[in-house]
Amino acid sequence: MTEGGRGPTQPALAFSYEGRPHEILEEVIDICDAIEIVPDCMLDKATDHIANQHAYDVQNVIDGRAIYAHGIGLSIGTVTSWNTNYLTTIESTISKFAIRWFSEHLGFTTVDGHFLGCMPAIPRTCEFVELIADRAANLRAQFGIEFLFEHVASPVDSGGNLTHGEFFNAVADASSCGLILDLHNLECEADNGRLNLVDFFDTIDFRHVREIHLAGGIWRDGLHLDVHSNLCAPTTNSLFESVVSKCPNLELVVFELLSQAIPRVGSYAIRQQLQSIRAILDGLSGKENDERIALSAVSAGSSTPRA
Ligand SMILES: [Fe+2]
């Protein structure tokens, strides 16, 4: 099914799919073990349900591969209430696809019912850890599936008395949910002076990491932005090599690329990116505990600014 196949203990490799162009699925599916869908980009806006055409496009190519869902609009960090309409989207996603799990971001996208047009990160405090844990319990009880959470990159300080690593651990411990380690957004945080990668990786409990994200962004006005508009920078690939073998419960590795960027990047380059990730995963087989590249060699702020 998958080009080259993967070892029995190797994490699944996936491409992030936002519903268009649908041709990209057929162009990369042979390299992938799974697909990560973004339900927010596949909705019939009148109903907040997954549009039938999008469901068909995925089911048409999936051929037994696993499907994971990665949401944007739950706004789990809005103090007064999460986005209750989004529960319909989660329900619709589960009804259309046999998803392995649903993941969301540790941020907020709505306030007083109004969409912000961006996703600020939540403050790193014990109060927010409790909020996330309570809501995670509600999600599990309502939908009966596993939920994961991803840290959000923030060019401005999101505040709080916990370090990023402490907050990451506390959310996982309190919520009993797995975590997504998005290496590009962590690089952005480091490049923008928000965290030190070595300190972060010295702090986090890698057992919580179930999924890793890889992506490429842009530099603008001196800031490294996590916009998923490019292939991975060499620094991101190196970071992946240095941390992937440390995650004993890792199940999924996803290359994320905005749908708008696909025509410019092109399917050939996307395939090469996926194959390079596959090569790293293949190198892990049989030596998962071998930390092949010393993490200390990866310095904070290591990405090269691009125009
Ligand atoms: Fe991500």
Side-chain angles (χ1 to χ4, degrees):
M1 183 173 66
T2 304
E3 185 181 84
R6 63 175 164 130
T9 62
Q10 193 179 112
L13 172 61
F15 182 63
S16 176
Y17 178 61
E18 298 185 343
R20 63 187 171 89
H22 69 87
E23 294 86 357
I24 192 65
L25 281 178
E26 290 187 1
E27 291 166 348
V28 304
I29 196 70
D30 60 306
I31 306 173
C32 298
D33 308 305
I35 289 291
E36 182 163 275
I37 60 169
V38 181
D40 306 60
C41 303
M42 304 171 73
L43 298 180
D44 176 339
K45 294 297 183 187
T47 64
D48 284 335
H49 285 70
I50 300 288
N52 289 334
Q53 184 63 51
H54 287 309
Y56 172 81
D57 290 341
V58 173
Q59 301 292 9
N60 195 37
V61 302
I62 201 69
D63 191 24
R65 293 171 177 81
I67 302 173
Y68 298 78
H70 189 46
I72 298 170
L74 177 59
S75 200
I76 196 168
T78 301
V79 173
T80 49
S81 171
W82 57 21
N83 178 7
T84 53
N85 291 339
Y86 199 76
L87 302 180
T88 301
T89 297
I90 298 174
E91 188 173 12
S92 174
T93 304
I94 293 170
S95 72
K96 294 277 197 213
F97 305 104
I99 59 170
R100 177 77 180 87
W101 59 53
F102 199 106
S103 57
E104 252 292 351
H105 299 80
L106 296 170
F108 55 101
T109 53
T110 59
V111 173
D112 289 338
H114 298 289
F115 179 57
L116 297 176
C118 60
M119 184 190 287
I122 56 178
R124 301 181 306 277
T125 67
C126 294
E127 289 78 11
F128 272 94
V129 170
E130 284 181 29
L131 181 80
I132 298 299
D134 286 348
R135 291 178 174 176
N138 285 340
L139 289 168
R140 275 199 303 272
Q142 182 166 350
F143 297 108
I145 62 168
E146 194 173 349
F147 282 80
L148 267 61
F149 294 117
E150 177 181 351
H151 161 259
V152 174
S154 177
V156 296
D157 185 11
S158 54
N161 58 322
L162 301 175
T163 67
H164 289 77
E166 290 168 343
F167 186 64
F168 210 60
N169 289 340
V171 166
D173 287 333
S175 69
S176 299
C177 291
L179 298 174
I180 297 175
L181 200 60
D182 185 313
L183 298 178
H184 181 254
N185 88 27
L186 291 170
E187 271 194 302
C188 290
E189 295 280 68
D191 288 342
N192 297 333
R194 296 294 161 211
L195 64 75
N196 179 290
L197 287 176
V198 174
D199 291 346
F200 178 81
F201 287 120
D202 279 347
T203 303
I204 68 162
D205 183 344
F206 284 97
R207 293 174 299 178
H208 295 311
V209 177
R210 306 296 310 285
E211 180 173 336
I212 286 179
H213 283 181
L214 297 164
I218 61 169
W219 284 82
R220 181 152 301 170
D221 299 330
L223 293 172
H224 192 179
L225 303 179
D226 182 35
V227 292
H228 303 173
S229 56
N230 281 305
L231 303 174
C232 297
T235 52
T236 313
N237 292 326
S238 295
L239 192 56
F240 178 56
E241 282 193 277
S242 72
V243 303
V244 64
S245 62
K246 298 173 182 285
C247 306
N249 299 312
L250 180 65
E251 179 173 317
L252 181 67
V253 177
V254 182
F255 172 55
E256 297 184 291
L257 186 66
L258 285 176
S259 60
Q260 300 95 314
I262 290 172
R264 174 177 51 78
V265 174
S267 59
Y268 179 77
I270 295 168
R271 287 180 62 86
Q272 284 189 312
Q273 176 69 72
L274 289 165
Q275 283 163 334
S276 74
I277 298 169
R278 171 74 73 198
I280 293 170
L281 294 176
D282 284 346
L284 294 174
S285 299
K287 48 181 179 179
E288 284 82 356
N289 296 320
D290 178 11
E291 296 174 6
R292 290 170 299 142
I293 298 176
L295 187 58
S296 58
V298 182
S299 62
S302 56
S303 302
T304 304
R306 284 163 283 164

